[in-house]
Amino acid sequence: MTSDTAATRAATGSQSINLTLATLAFTISFWAWNLIGPLGVVYTDQLDLSASQKSILVAIPVLVGSLGRILTGALTDRFGGRLMFTVLLVVTIPFVLLVAAAGRLASYPLLLVAGFLLGVAGTTFAVGIPFVNAWYDKSRRGFATGVFGAGMGGTALSAFFTPRFVSWFGYVATHVVIAVALAATAAVCWMFMRDSPRWVPSHDSVVPKLAAAAKLPITWQLGFLYAATFGGFVAFSTYLPTYLKDVYDFDLQAAGTRTAGFAIAAVLARPLGGILSDRFGPRIITVISCGGAVVLAAWMITTPPVEIPAGIDFVLMAICMGLGSGSVFSWVAQAAPAERVGSVTGIVGAAGGVGGFFPPLIMGATYDAATHSYTTGLVLLAVFAAGAMVFTIFGIRGRPAD
């Protein structure tokens, strides 16, 4: 009995350590991934960008980081999370420094190239889901993926600290600090992170693995829902500084502080979404998430005054996005075949990121500068969320994860 208890405690300790390290790696990489968004106002003023140019610049890393998850998810099935986390953190370093150089040179084309390459930082999400899944039993995977998903709080850190770092240390030095943080995190992951004893490397070719995952209906069903939930979070967290500047005339640091608050609310809600999904089933939590987003987007159209009414609206929207992000990936963890989790995660994660790519473009294209209004974009957001809610109720047959 004593030896069994000791073994159980050791296993639990290993689970906690590796979940913590995975969440740390995800947090730092997401900070790097979101480096351009919090400084979008600076780039706009410095380069005299139009609304469309600004939205493209902010959205480019989102697109690349999203589509890249398809490959990194499949590679994680083969090489494991420890190696993949370490490699991706190290590879991101030169791209962070390239962003610094592009900004210093005030070159919009070079910033687009740097943002494109920086997208690699966003692919770590597809590494962490199969990594933590392998460490936890099926009944606890909603909790595990929810806690790991809280690493998207890296966007909150970026929104809050990046503008302040620029003010305190300077533009280039800020990017050097992030590069050092990436290097330190990579070293910690390599030294202390371990793949689960239950993880078995898959030696199948990547393309057939992805093709097999793509044939599963649940892959595309949950991909659509993740585009609505996590995609909404990404879109808001990257474009919110610009939105707050245009609609409420906040300066860079004030907008960054409020964006950080939005991201923190979503981060705290994500593990809650996973935990509630373990208890009540992910379908009902996803319905609540999408339904809430419809109501809150409609409220946003009325441009509620600052601080309290508008703040409540944005925080509740963040909570809805966080709950939905947690519930959808709890669904993935429960419904995807064990040998396909990495590949399914890659595709679903890519769908979520793509869902975050288009809203900033639409917001920029539909912005009415004369009235400082984003009404059209917000209406489209509400319609999309309503469609996701209806699909959650009627579009996914069976009860594999409920």
Side-chain angles (χ1 to χ4, degrees):
M1 179 65 71
T2 303
S3 61
D4 290 344
T5 301
T8 300
R9 287 178 177 174
T12 301
S14 296
Q15 288 176 335
S16 299
I17 290 170
N18 283 283
L19 177 58
T20 299
L21 291 175
T23 305
L24 171 65
F26 184 33
T27 301
I28 297 301
S29 63
F30 251 44
W31 184 338
W33 191 39
N34 193 42
L35 266 179
I36 291 178
L39 301 178
V41 175
V42 173
Y43 296 132
T44 299
D45 293 341
Q46 182 183 21
L47 303 175
D48 193 24
L49 303 180
S50 67
S52 294
Q53 288 176 315
K54 175 174 54 180
S55 60
I56 291 171
L57 177 62
V58 169
I60 280 291
V62 175
L63 178 64
V64 178
S66 305
L67 296 179
R69 293 173 190 173
I70 297 174
L71 179 60
T72 57
L75 291 175
T76 301
D77 286 338
R78 172 176 290 189
F79 297 109
R82 176 179 178 243
L83 177 61
M84 291 297 296
F85 269 127
T86 304
V87 169
L88 290 174
L89 289 165
V90 171
V91 167
T92 301
I93 293 171
F95 304 145
V96 168
L97 299 177
L98 182 60
V99 172
R104 172 66 78 179
L105 295 172
S107 170
Y108 181 68
L110 187 57
L111 267 174
L112 289 177
V113 172
F116 179 90
L117 296 172
L118 188 64
V120 71
T123 66
T124 54
F125 176 79
V127 176
I129 293 295
F131 176 79
V132 301
N133 266 4
W135 272 106
Y136 284 82
D137 294 331
K138 199 168 187 177
S139 62
R140 294 269 290 164
R141 286 176 182 168
F143 160 78
T145 57
V147 171
F148 168 74
M152 67 188 190
T155 59
L157 294 175
S158 184
F160 185 83
F161 284 109
T162 300
R164 286 168 171 77
F165 280 9
V166 171
S167 175
W168 297 340
F169 310 128
Y171 176 80
V172 173
T174 295
H175 292 75
V176 172
V177 168
I178 303 305
V180 171
L182 287 164
T185 305
V188 169
C189 287
W190 184 251
M191 289 188 293
F192 300 108
M193 183 179 278
R194 295 293 181 267
D195 291 298
S196 169
R198 291 184 290 189
W199 171 72
V200 178
S202 172
H203 296 289
D204 295 342
S205 298
V206 171
V207 173
K209 283 177 65 66
L210 290 174
K215 291 177 181 178
L216 298 172
I218 199 69
T219 300
W220 300 106
Q221 292 166 346
L222 297 183
F224 170 67
L225 297 182
Y226 203 56
T229 54
F230 181 73
F233 165 75
V234 171
F236 268 101
S237 61
T238 55
Y239 201 76
L240 196 54
T242 298
Y243 181 95
L244 294 174
K245 170 69 166 59
D246 292 339
V247 177
Y248 293 106
D249 198 30
F250 284 120
D251 62 25
L252 181 64
Q253 289 194 13
T257 299
R258 287 157 180 81
T259 302
F262 174 91
I264 289 170
V267 165
L268 295 176
R270 179 158 185 157
L272 180 60
I275 292 168
L276 292 175
S277 295
D278 284 341
R279 182 165 185 177
F280 300 107
R283 191 188 304 269
I284 185 61
I285 305 304
T286 306
V287 168
I288 292 171
S289 165
C290 294
V294 174
V295 174
L296 294 164
W299 186 14
M300 218 171 282
I301 291 171
T302 68
T303 314
V306 292
E307 290 281 345
I308 298 303
I312 292 173
D313 191 357
F314 284 112
V315 168
L316 290 177
M317 177 66 83
I319 291 171
C320 285
M321 297 294 96
L323 287 174
S325 298
S327 65
V328 171
F329 256 96
S330 173
W331 212 332
V332 170
Q334 295 178 33
E339 70 278 8
R340 303 283 182 222
V341 170
S343 301
V344 173
T345 294
I347 296 173
V348 174
V354 170
F357 171 74
F358 288 104
L361 300 183
I362 294 171
M363 296 291 272
T366 60
Y367 173 59
D368 187 341
T371 61
H372 303 288
S373 172
Y374 283 98
T375 297
T376 302
L378 292 171
V379 167
L380 292 174
L381 170 63
V383 170
F384 186 57
M389 180 182 67
V390 173
F391 182 76
T392 302
I393 298 170
F394 300 108
I396 302 179
R397 300 297 181 184
R399 301 175 61 84
D402 290 347

